[in-house]
Amino acid sequence: FPIFEETVRDNKLLDYVEDLIGPNIRHIRQEKVNLKLPKGTRFPVKWHQDWAFYPHTNQKMLMACVSIDDTTRENGCLQVIPKSHKGPLFSHFKDGEFSAAINDELFDPSSTVHLEVPSGGVSLHHALTVHGSAPNNTNQKRRLLVFLYCNTDAWPLLGVTSMEYGNIGPVDWDRFTSTIVRGEATLFPKMESVQVCLPVPFDKPGYVFEEKVPITSSHEDPKN
């Protein structure tokens, strides 16, 4: 869609991204509209780390969330755990399968911070940052554009035929490099000693958004 292509390549947005991960930037094709319908009809998003879904050769990766509407505590703004970008990577497995949500007895959500962002604003978080959101309890919808970026020297450990392209088979070089939104491609991945765990076997798509999975009080105001 044109709105996605225009926004993902917006120079002002890319300036912020460059400040954090460097001048050579690739867009990981997982853009989406995070829509929360009124009065809790859009389910909570369970605690998770994007790094668990997209392991790469290094962690120069972040997510940008562009607010179409004001995001508030009442309508399900993003919630994060401060300093969780420093690790560890928590387990996202349940019964031996990748469940797309944190399932780790070491995880403690008590330091939760709510990121309230006005319409037109943007929040950025590292791929290892623990985050989630509560349902929308207002009478208005809450819309958010979500983009995932990495440095071009961060190569996907699952290959370019992974979740990014829907497992459709080999992706040619031209198509792969078409996702570069600033700077240049490289054939020399930067290898870092980082904690990874491949997200396979995958339990079922959408688990992180699923209503049937009980949501604990971790997405409620920790002060209440």
Side-chain angles (χ1 to χ4, degrees):
F1 296 101
I3 184 62
F4 283 109
E5 291 300 322
E6 292 173 11
T7 308
V8 77
R9 297 175 183 272
D10 180 82
N11 281 323
K12 189 172 183 179
L13 175 59
L14 292 178
D15 286 344
Y16 294 133
V17 175
E18 180 176 341
D19 285 344
L20 296 170
I21 64 173
N24 299 311
I25 304 168
R26 190 173 76 83
H27 168 227
I28 298 175
R29 299 206 67 90
Q30 285 293 304
E31 68 274 12
K32 55 183 171 285
V33 176
N34 184 290
L35 170 65
K36 288 183 181 288
L37 296 174
K39 287 298 182 183
T41 52
R42 185 56 169 138
F43 315 138
V45 177
K46 292 179 70 67
W47 292 115
H48 64 283
Q49 294 163 292
D50 298 325
W51 183 250
F53 296 76
Y54 308 105
H56 280 56
T57 58
N58 67 68
Q59 290 185 343
K60 287 184 284 186
M61 180 190 299
L62 60 78
M63 180 166 283
C65 300
V66 181
S67 294
I68 299 176
D69 308 296
D70 292 342
T71 59
T72 66
R73 295 165 75 106
E74 291 74 23
N75 68 12
C77 69
L78 191 70
Q79 298 180 40
V80 300
I81 305 298
K83 299 183 180 180
S84 57
H85 68 287
K86 298 181 179 180
L89 172 64
F90 291 103
S91 173
H92 289 61
F93 285 79
K94 183 178 181 180
D95 299 328
E97 293 185 320
F98 184 72
S99 64
I102 290 176
N103 183 38
D104 195 316
E105 62 182 12
L106 298 179
F107 174 60
D108 177 11
S110 61
S111 60
T112 299
V113 170
H114 294 73
L115 300 184
E116 296 184 294
V117 180
S119 175
V122 60
S123 67
L124 301 103
H125 63 264
H126 186 268
L128 205 54
T129 299
V130 176
H131 61 288
S133 62
N136 177 4
N137 292 313
T138 71
N139 292 317
Q140 303 294 324
K141 59 181 174 291
R142 195 277 279 152
R143 297 164 296 175
L144 197 68
L145 291 177
V146 179
F147 303 108
L148 190 61
Y149 296 98
C150 68
N151 192 289
T152 59
D153 66 11
W155 278 70
L157 295 182
L158 292 177
V160 295
T161 60
S162 62
M163 294 172 62
E164 183 174 349
Y165 287 96
N167 297 306
I168 60 173
V171 176
D172 63 43
W173 177 248
D174 288 340
R175 183 175 180 184
F176 183 64
T177 57
S178 70
T179 59
I180 296 175
V181 292
R182 177 172 288 186
E184 300 178 348
T186 179
L187 293 175
F188 299 93
K190 182 176 181 180
M191 310 295 292
E192 291 182 348
S193 178
V194 294
Q195 185 182 5
V196 297
C197 188
L198 300 183
V200 290
F202 197 80
D203 181 15
K204 49 189 171 181
Y207 181 95
V208 72
F209 302 105
E210 192 168 282
E211 182 182 29
K212 295 179 182 178
V213 180
I215 305 299
T216 69
S217 60
S218 61
H219 283 313
E220 297 174 357
D221 187 342
K223 296 180 181 179
N224 290 339

